[in-house]
Amino acid sequence: MIRKLTFAAALLAATALAGAANAKTFVYCSEASPEGFDPGLYTGGNTFDASAHPVYNRLLEFKKGTTEVEPGLAESYEVSDDGLQYTFKLRQGVKFQTTDFFTPTREFNADDVIFSFERPWKEDNPWHKYVEGASWEYFAGMGMPELLDKIEKVDDHTVRFTLKRKEAPFLANVAMPFASILSKEYADKLQADGKMNQMNQMPLGTGPFTFVGYQQDAVIRYKANPDYWGGKQPIDDLVFAITTDAAVRYQKLKAGECHLMPYPNAADVASMKADPSLKISEQEGLNVAYLAYNATQAPFDKVEVRKALNMAINKQAIVDAVFQGAATPAKNPIPPTMWSYNDAIEDDKYDPEAAKAALEAAGVKDLSMKVWAMPVARPYMLNARRAAELIQSDFDKIGVKVEIVSYEWAEYLDKSKAKDRDGAVILGWTGDNGDPDNFLDTLLGCDAVGGNNRAQWCNKEFDDLVTKAKEASDQAERTKLYEEAQVVFKREAPWATLDHSLAIVPMRKEVQGFVQSPLGDFTFDGVDLAE
């Protein structure tokens, strides 16, 4: 009789074959395949978890469990009196990872920083279009091309950024995953060999874990970086077991085939809490889920139509069905835990009769539309298909016919950016830096149209407010501007805001040192397994 080798057994066998019988292997049951391994190209949290966090570092990093920045590859920084120059003193003695596919001959220096920022910035840079369709979505959507004036190498360990205008969230922005620092030496070798695409397939950085290999849609393997400037990690081997079904992730967790999982089904949380072999970490999520209309396409180009549809959605029913109470209905595009949240705003009331009348008053009859449902669980939306079905039922009550569509996750993210996209898209966001700008400008600013701005909504009044807020240094002034921007958002209704969720992370009892991130990241530096 032939017995199937379980995933856990296969890992043990692989470890033994590698001659590391006493190695500690940590298995993370991740929820989706990464779009690629170059974090500058993408915005998806699961992609950052698989690339930016294990393999790379940034000039500044977010202190674990907080949205505070602390030194990373930059030991310190100075800001000029006029707020336009940021000078970073770089950490010395930092080594890039040695892998089976590349052996570095020099340590990290200023050339790597300049290379990493110039490739998304300068259109004539040979790396600007090295991946077909590369849009540098985050870099462009945050207005970085228009913000940067110059980046200078002062010496091997000093880099100076000069901005064209003040940018209050700049330090937080350079700590974000898209601003990860790559090796210019590795890039030069790939370019010389005609293998530039390898940068997005075989990553190499200065981070805590070295990339070993990726089996498409199945498993990613890493090993502890023995030369990591922050010290070698307690775990020797890190494995991402890609498991898209939350119920299957839970079964693997119970069986000990993985040590930690994201985004459990709401219905399973009570039994997880009762299981003596497991423990739960939870906190208010810095997130929002939304249904983004395409504000450039009729009839969604009419605010009256968008407002009418919003009144037809029973958000509490979505929260109850999808989260079983572990979320709250959303009225604003930023979460209530974030500074500048405008609690004075009144939400659209759930009123199907008023919604139907408003559609008729707008001259809309026999409307048929698509609602896009994500194929994966995210912290802000555990089951987009179920949410889409509830919205479909709500819209049916006002005479609007809905077709639910979906695509594979990377394709979903790509297709939903199209300016001529049809229908309305269920998506969401977990803040990447703790600043309101990361929601309001990144998701709704004019620079983000065709990228993170899935509503394709460019409103001058809103855009002027968030731009002024970026440039203001006083937080009280910024708060006032963001509060006004939320009023404009609610009046114009480019989205139906759906929910803000509680972030729940189940793990095995033996896991030590995992710190839940308010930014929704899953990072495993500092994590250990009890003997």
Side-chain angles (χ1 to χ4, degrees), residues 472-515:
S473 55
D474 178 62
Q475 187 163 315
E477 183 183 351
R478 295 187 73 206
T479 294
K480 184 172 179 293
L481 291 164
Y482 286 136
E483 287 175 344
E484 291 177 33
Q486 289 166 75
V487 171
V488 177
F489 167 87
K490 202 65 184 178
R491 185 188 74 218
E492 298 295 320
W495 299 347
T497 48
L498 298 178
D499 69 78
H500 307 293
S501 73
L502 188 68
I504 298 171
V505 182
M507 66 195 83
R508 302 283 305 175
K509 279 281 191 188
E510 58 266 30
V511 175
Q512 297 178 333
F514 177 81
V515 179

CSV table of all heavy atoms in Angstrom, one decimal, residues 472-515:
chain,number,residue,atom,x,y,z
A,472,ALA,N,1.4,70.0,5.2
A,472,ALA,CA,1.4,70.7,6.6
A,472,ALA,C,2.2,69.9,7.6
A,472,ALA,O,2.2,68.6,7.6
A,472,ALA,CB,-0.1,70.8,7.0
A,473,SER,N,2.9,70.6,8.4
A,473,SER,CA,3.7,69.9,9.4
A,473,SER,C,3.0,69.7,10.8
A,473,SER,O,3.3,68.9,11.6
A,473,SER,CB,5.1,70.6,9.6
A,473,SER,OG,4.8,72.0,10.0
A,474,ASP,N,2.0,70.6,11.0
A,474,ASP,CA,1.2,70.6,12.2
A,474,ASP,C,0.1,69.5,12.2
A,474,ASP,O,-0.7,69.6,11.3
A,474,ASP,CB,0.7,72.0,12.5
A,474,ASP,CG,-0.2,72.0,13.8
A,474,ASP,OD1,0.4,71.7,14.9
A,474,ASP,OD2,-1.4,72.2,13.7
A,475,GLN,N,0.1,68.6,13.1
A,475,GLN,CA,-0.9,67.5,13.0
A,475,GLN,C,-2.3,68.0,13.2
A,475,GLN,O,-3.2,67.5,12.6
A,475,GLN,CB,-0.6,66.4,14.1
A,475,GLN,CG,-1.5,65.2,13.9
A,475,GLN,CD,-1.0,63.9,14.6
A,475,GLN,OE1,0.2,63.6,14.5
A,475,GLN,NE2,-1.9,63.2,15.3
A,476,ALA,N,-2.5,69.0,14.0
A,476,ALA,CA,-3.9,69.6,14.2
A,476,ALA,C,-4.4,70.2,12.9
A,476,ALA,O,-5.6,70.0,12.5
A,476,ALA,CB,-3.8,70.7,15.3
A,477,GLU,N,-3.5,70.8,12.1
A,477,GLU,CA,-3.9,71.4,10.8
A,477,GLU,C,-4.2,70.2,9.8
A,477,GLU,O,-5.2,70.3,9.1
A,477,GLU,CB,-2.8,72.3,10.3
A,477,GLU,CG,-3.1,72.9,8.9
A,477,GLU,CD,-2.0,73.7,8.4
A,477,GLU,OE1,-1.0,73.9,9.1
A,477,GLU,OE2,-2.1,74.1,7.2
A,478,ARG,N,-3.3,69.2,9.9
A,478,ARG,CA,-3.6,68.0,9.0
A,478,ARG,C,-4.9,67.4,9.3
A,478,ARG,O,-5.6,66.9,8.4
A,478,ARG,CB,-2.4,67.0,9.1
A,478,ARG,CG,-1.1,67.5,8.7
A,478,ARG,CD,0.0,66.4,8.7
A,478,ARG,NE,-0.2,65.5,7.6
A,478,ARG,CZ,0.1,64.2,7.6
A,478,ARG,NH1,0.7,63.7,8.7
A,478,ARG,NH2,-0.1,63.5,6.6
A,479,THR,N,-5.2,67.2,10.6
A,479,THR,CA,-6.4,66.6,11.1
A,479,THR,C,-7.6,67.3,10.5
A,479,THR,O,-8.6,66.7,10.0
A,479,THR,CB,-6.5,66.6,12.6
A,479,THR,OG1,-5.5,65.7,13.1
A,479,THR,CG2,-7.8,66.0,13.1
A,480,LYS,N,-7.6,68.7,10.6
A,480,LYS,CA,-8.7,69.5,10.1
A,480,LYS,C,-8.9,69.2,8.6
A,480,LYS,O,-10.1,69.1,8.1
A,480,LYS,CB,-8.5,70.9,10.4
A,480,LYS,CG,-9.6,71.9,10.0
A,480,LYS,CD,-9.3,73.3,10.5
A,480,LYS,CE,-10.4,74.3,10.1
A,480,LYS,NZ,-10.5,74.5,8.7
A,481,LEU,N,-7.9,69.2,7.8
A,481,LEU,CA,-7.9,69.0,6.4
A,481,LEU,C,-8.5,67.6,6.0
A,481,LEU,O,-9.3,67.4,5.1
A,481,LEU,CB,-6.6,69.2,5.7
A,481,LEU,CG,-6.1,70.7,5.8
A,481,LEU,CD1,-4.6,70.7,5.5
A,481,LEU,CD2,-6.8,71.5,4.7
A,482,TYR,N,-8.0,66.6,6.8
A,482,TYR,CA,-8.5,65.2,6.5
A,482,TYR,C,-9.9,65.1,6.9
A,482,TYR,O,-10.7,64.3,6.2
A,482,TYR,CB,-7.6,64.2,7.3
A,482,TYR,CG,-6.2,64.0,6.7
A,482,TYR,CD1,-5.1,63.9,7.5
A,482,TYR,CD2,-6.1,63.9,5.3
A,482,TYR,CE1,-3.8,63.7,6.9
A,482,TYR,CE2,-4.8,63.7,4.7
A,482,TYR,CZ,-3.7,63.6,5.5
A,482,TYR,OH,-2.5,63.4,5.0
A,483,GLU,N,-10.4,65.7,8.0
A,483,GLU,CA,-11.8,65.7,8.3
A,483,GLU,C,-12.7,66.3,7.2
A,483,GLU,O,-13.7,65.7,6.9
A,483,GLU,CB,-12.0,66.4,9.6
A,483,GLU,CG,-11.5,65.7,10.9
A,483,GLU,CD,-11.6,66.5,12.1
A,483,GLU,OE1,-11.8,67.7,12.1
A,483,GLU,OE2,-11.5,65.9,13.2
A,484,GLU,N,-12.2,67.4,6.6
A,484,GLU,CA,-12.9,68.0,5.5
A,484,GLU,C,-12.9,67.1,4.3
A,484,GLU,O,-14.0,67.0,3.6
A,484,GLU,CB,-12.3,69.3,5.1
A,484,GLU,CG,-12.5,70.4,6.2
A,484,GLU,CD,-11.7,71.7,5.8
A,484,GLU,OE1,-11.7,72.0,4.6
A,484,GLU,OE2,-11.3,72.4,6.7
A,485,ALA,N,-11.8,66.4,4.1
A,485,ALA,CA,-11.7,65.5,2.9
A,485,ALA,C,-12.7,64.3,3.1
A,485,ALA,O,-13.3,63.9,2.1
A,485,ALA,CB,-10.3,64.9,2.8
A,486,GLN,N,-12.9,63.9,4.3
A,486,GLN,CA,-13.9,62.8,4.5
A,486,GLN,C,-15.3,63.2,4.2
A,486,GLN,O,-16.2,62.5,3.8
A,486,GLN,CB,-13.7,62.3,5.9
A,486,GLN,CG,-12.5,61.5,6.1
A,486,GLN,CD,-12.1,61.2,7.6
A,486,GLN,OE1,-12.8,60.4,8.3
A,486,GLN,NE2,-11.2,62.0,8.1
A,487,VAL,N,-15.6,64.5,4.5
A,487,VAL,CA,-16.9,65.1,4.2
A,487,VAL,C,-17.2,65.1,2.7
A,487,VAL,O,-18.2,64.7,2.2
A,487,VAL,CB,-17.1,66.5,4.7
A,487,VAL,CG1,-18.3,67.2,4.2
A,487,VAL,CG2,-17.0,66.5,6.3
A,488,VAL,N,-16.1,65.4,1.9
A,488,VAL,CA,-16.2,65.4,0.5
A,488,VAL,C,-16.4,64.0,0.0
A,488,VAL,O,-17.3,63.7,-0.9
A,488,VAL,CB,-15.0,66.1,-0.2
A,488,VAL,CG1,-15.1,66.0,-1.7
A,488,VAL,CG2,-14.8,67.5,0.2
A,489,PHE,N,-15.7,63.1,0.5
A,489,PHE,CA,-15.8,61.7,0.1
A,489,PHE,C,-17.2,61.2,0.4
A,489,PHE,O,-17.8,60.5,-0.5
A,489,PHE,CB,-14.8,60.8,0.9
A,489,PHE,CG,-15.1,59.3,0.8
A,489,PHE,CD1,-14.5,58.6,-0.2
A,489,PHE,CD2,-15.9,58.7,1.8
A,489,PHE,CE1,-14.8,57.2,-0.3
A,489,PHE,CE2,-16.2,57.3,1.7
A,489,PHE,CZ,-15.6,56.6,0.7
A,490,LYS,N,-17.8,61.5,1.5
A,490,LYS,CA,-19.1,60.9,1.8
A,490,LYS,C,-20.2,61.6,0.9
A,490,LYS,O,-21.1,60.9,0.5
A,490,LYS,CB,-19.4,61.2,3.3
A,490,LYS,CG,-20.5,60.3,3.9
A,490,LYS,CD,-20.0,58.8,3.9
A,490,LYS,CE,-21.0,57.8,4.3
A,490,LYS,NZ,-20.5,56.5,4.2
A,491,ARG,N,-20.0,62.8,0.6
A,491,ARG,CA,-20.9,63.5,-0.3
A,491,ARG,C,-20.9,62.9,-1.7
A,491,ARG,O,-21.9,62.8,-2.3
A,491,ARG,CB,-20.6,65.0,-0.3
A,491,ARG,CG,-21.6,65.9,-1.1
A,491,ARG,CD,-21.0,67.3,-1.2
A,491,ARG,NE,-19.9,67.4,-2.2
A,491,ARG,CZ,-18.9,68.1,-2.0
A,491,ARG,NH1,-18.7,68.9,-1.0
A,491,ARG,NH2,-17.9,68.1,-3.0
A,492,GLU,N,-19.7,62.6,-2.2
A,492,GLU,CA,-19.5,62.2,-3.5
A,492,GLU,C,-19.6,60.7,-3.7
A,492,GLU,O,-19.9,60.2,-4.8
A,492,GLU,CB,-18.2,62.7,-4.1
A,492,GLU,CG,-18.0,64.2,-4.1
A,492,GLU,CD,-19.0,64.8,-5.1
A,492,GLU,OE1,-19.2,64.3,-6.2
A,492,GLU,OE2,-19.6,65.9,-4.7
A,493,ALA,N,-19.4,59.9,-2.7
A,493,ALA,CA,-19.7,58.5,-2.7
A,493,ALA,C,-19.0,57.7,-3.8
A,493,ALA,O,-19.7,56.9,-4.5
A,493,ALA,CB,-21.2,58.2,-2.6
A,494,PRO,N,-17.7,57.8,-4.0
A,494,PRO,CA,-17.1,56.9,-5.0
A,494,PRO,C,-17.0,55.4,-4.6
A,494,PRO,O,-16.9,54.5,-5.4
A,494,PRO,CB,-15.6,57.4,-5.1
A,494,PRO,CG,-15.4,58.1,-3.7
A,494,PRO,CD,-16.7,58.7,-3.3
A,495,TRP,N,-17.2,55.2,-3.3
A,495,TRP,CA,-17.3,53.8,-2.7
A,495,TRP,C,-18.6,53.7,-1.9
A,495,TRP,O,-19.1,54.7,-1.4
A,495,TRP,CB,-16.2,53.5,-1.7
A,495,TRP,CG,-14.8,53.6,-2.1
A,495,TRP,CD1,-14.2,53.6,-3.3
A,495,TRP,CD2,-13.7,53.5,-1.1
A,495,TRP,NE1,-12.8,53.6,-3.2
A,495,TRP,CE2,-12.5,53.6,-1.9
A,495,TRP,CE3,-13.6,53.5,0.3
A,495,TRP,CZ2,-11.2,53.6,-1.3
A,495,TRP,CZ3,-12.3,53.5,0.9
A,495,TRP,CH2,-11.2,53.5,0.1
A,496,ALA,N,-18.9,52.4,-1.7
A,496,ALA,CA,-19.7,52.0,-0.6
A,496,ALA,C,-18.8,51.5,0.5
A,496,ALA,O,-18.1,50.5,0.2
A,496,ALA,CB,-20.8,51.0,-0.9
A,497,THR,N,-18.6,52.2,1.6
A,497,THR,CA,-17.7,51.7,2.6
A,497,THR,C,-18.4,50.5,3.3
A,497,THR,O,-19.6,50.6,3.7
A,497,THR,CB,-17.4,52.8,3.7
A,497,THR,OG1,-18.6,53.4,4.0
A,497,THR,CG2,-16.5,53.8,3.1
A,498,LEU,N,-17.8,49.4,3.5
A,498,LEU,CA,-18.4,48.2,4.0
A,498,LEU,C,-18.1,47.9,5.5
A,498,LEU,O,-19.0,47.8,6.3
A,498,LEU,CB,-18.0,47.0,3.1
A,498,LEU,CG,-18.4,47.1,1.6
A,498,LEU,CD1,-17.9,45.8,0.9
A,498,LEU,CD2,-19.9,47.2,1.5
A,499,ASP,N,-16.8,47.7,5.8
A,499,ASP,CA,-16.6,47.3,7.2
A,499,ASP,C,-15.1,47.6,7.6
A,499,ASP,O,-14.3,47.9,6.8
A,499,ASP,CB,-16.8,45.8,7.4
A,499,ASP,CG,-15.8,45.0,6.7
A,499,ASP,OD1,-14.7,44.8,7.2
A,499,ASP,OD2,-16.1,44.4,5.6
A,500,HIS,N,-14.9,47.6,8.9
A,500,HIS,CA,-13.6,47.6,9.5
A,500,HIS,C,-13.6,46.4,10.4
A,500,HIS,O,-14.5,46.2,11.2
A,500,HIS,CB,-13.4,48.9,10.4
A,500,HIS,CG,-13.6,50.2,9.8
A,500,HIS,ND1,-12.8,50.7,8.7
A,500,HIS,CD2,-14.6,51.1,10.0
A,500,HIS,CE1,-13.3,51.8,8.4
A,500,HIS,NE2,-14.3,52.1,9.1
A,501,SER,N,-12.6,45.5,10.2
A,501,SER,CA,-12.6,44.2,10.9
A,501,SER,C,-11.6,44.2,12.1
A,501,SER,O,-10.7,44.9,12.2
A,501,SER,CB,-12.2,43.1,9.9
A,501,SER,OG,-10.8,43.2,9.6
A,502,LEU,N,-11.9,43.2,12.9
A,502,LEU,CA,-11.0,42.8,14.0
A,502,LEU,C,-10.0,41.8,13.4
A,502,LEU,O,-10.4,40.9,12.6
A,502,LEU,CB,-11.7,42.1,15.1
A,502,LEU,CG,-11.0,41.8,16.4
A,502,LEU,CD1,-10.6,43.0,17.2
A,502,LEU,CD2,-11.8,40.8,17.3
A,503,ALA,N,-8.7,42.1,13.6
A,503,ALA,CA,-7.6,41.2,13.0
A,503,ALA,C,-7.3,40.1,14.0
A,503,ALA,O,-6.9,40.4,15.1
A,503,ALA,CB,-6.4,42.0,12.7
A,504,ILE,N,-7.5,38.8,13.6
A,504,ILE,CA,-7.4,37.7,14.4
A,504,ILE,C,-6.3,36.7,13.9
A,504,ILE,O,-6.4,36.4,12.7
A,504,ILE,CB,-8.7,36.9,14.6
A,504,ILE,CG1,-9.8,37.8,15.2
A,504,ILE,CG2,-8.5,35.6,15.4
A,504,ILE,CD1,-11.2,37.3,15.2
A,505,VAL,N,-5.3,36.4,14.7
A,505,VAL,CA,-4.2,35.5,14.2
A,505,VAL,C,-4.1,34.3,15.2
A,505,VAL,O,-3.7,34.4,16.3
A,505,VAL,CB,-2.9,36.3,14.2
A,505,VAL,CG1,-1.8,35.4,13.7
A,505,VAL,CG2,-2.9,37.5,13.4
A,506,PRO,N,-4.5,33.1,14.7
A,506,PRO,CA,-4.4,31.9,15.5
A,506,PRO,C,-3.0,31.3,15.2
A,506,PRO,O,-2.5,31.4,14.1
A,506,PRO,CB,-5.5,31.0,14.9
A,506,PRO,CG,-6.0,31.7,13.7
A,506,PRO,CD,-5.3,32.9,13.4
A,507,MET,N,-2.4,30.7,16.3
A,507,MET,CA,-1.1,30.0,16.1
A,507,MET,C,-1.0,28.9,17.1
A,507,MET,O,-1.8,28.8,18.1
A,507,MET,CB,0.0,31.0,16.3
A,507,MET,CG,0.1,31.6,17.7
A,507,MET,SD,1.1,33.1,17.8
A,507,MET,CE,-0.1,34.4,17.3
A,508,ARG,N,0.0,28.0,16.9
A,508,ARG,CA,0.3,26.9,17.8
A,508,ARG,C,0.8,27.5,19.2
A,508,ARG,O,1.4,28.6,19.2
A,508,ARG,CB,1.3,26.0,17.3
A,508,ARG,CG,0.9,25.4,15.9
A,508,ARG,CD,0.0,24.2,16.0
A,508,ARG,NE,0.4,23.2,17.0
A,508,ARG,CZ,-0.4,22.1,17.3
A,508,ARG,NH1,-1.6,22.0,16.8
A,508,ARG,NH2,0.1,21.2,18.1
A,509,LYS,N,0.5,26.8,20.3
A,509,LYS,CA,1.0,27.3,21.6
A,509,LYS,C,2.5,27.4,21.7
A,509,LYS,O,3.0,28.3,22.4
A,509,LYS,CB,0.6,26.2,22.7
A,509,LYS,CG,-0.9,26.4,23.1
A,509,LYS,CD,-1.1,27.5,24.1
A,509,LYS,CE,-2.5,27.4,24.7
A,509,LYS,NZ,-2.7,28.6,25.5
A,510,GLU,N,3.2,26.6,20.9
A,510,GLU,CA,4.7,26.6,21.0
A,510,GLU,C,5.3,27.8,20.3
A,510,GLU,O,6.6,28.1,20.4
A,510,GLU,CB,5.3,25.3,20.4
A,510,GLU,CG,4.9,25.0,19.0
A,510,GLU,CD,3.7,24.1,18.8
A,510,GLU,OE1,2.8,24.2,19.7
A,510,GLU,OE2,3.7,23.3,17.8
A,511,VAL,N,4.5,28.6,19.5
A,511,VAL,CA,5.1,29.8,18.9
A,511,VAL,C,5.4,30.9,19.9
A,511,VAL,O,4.6,31.2,20.8
A,511,VAL,CB,4.1,30.4,17.8
A,511,VAL,CG1,4.6,31.7,17.2
A,511,VAL,CG2,3.8,29.3,16.7
A,512,GLN,N,6.6,31.4,19.8
A,512,GLN,CA,7.1,32.4,20.7
A,512,GLN,C,7.6,33.6,19.9
A,512,GLN,O,8.2,33.4,18.8
A,512,GLN,CB,8.2,31.9,21.6
A,512,GLN,CG,7.8,30.8,22.5
A,512,GLN,CD,9.0,30.3,23.4
A,512,GLN,OE1,10.1,30.4,23.0
A,512,GLN,NE2,8.7,29.7,24.5
A,513,GLY,N,7.3,34.8,20.4
A,513,GLY,CA,8.0,36.0,19.8
A,513,GLY,C,7.2,36.6,18.6
A,513,GLY,O,7.7,37.6,18.0
A,514,PHE,N,6.1,36.0,18.2
A,514,PHE,CA,5.3,36.7,17.1
A,514,PHE,C,4.6,37.9,17.7
A,514,PHE,O,3.9,37.8,18.6
A,514,PHE,CB,4.3,35.7,16.5
A,514,PHE,CG,3.5,36.3,15.4
A,514,PHE,CD1,4.0,36.4,14.1
A,514,PHE,CD2,2.2,36.8,15.7
A,514,PHE,CE1,3.2,37.0,13.1
A,514,PHE,CE2,1.4,37.4,14.7
A,514,PHE,CZ,2.0,37.5,13.4
A,515,VAL,N,4.8,39.0,17.0
A,515,VAL,CA,4.1,40.3,17.4
A,515,VAL,C,3.2,40.7,16.3
A,515,VAL,O,3.6,40.9,15.1
A,515,VAL,CB,5.2,41.4,17.6
A,515,VAL,CG1,4.5,42.7,18.0
A,515,VAL,CG2,6.2,41.0,18.7
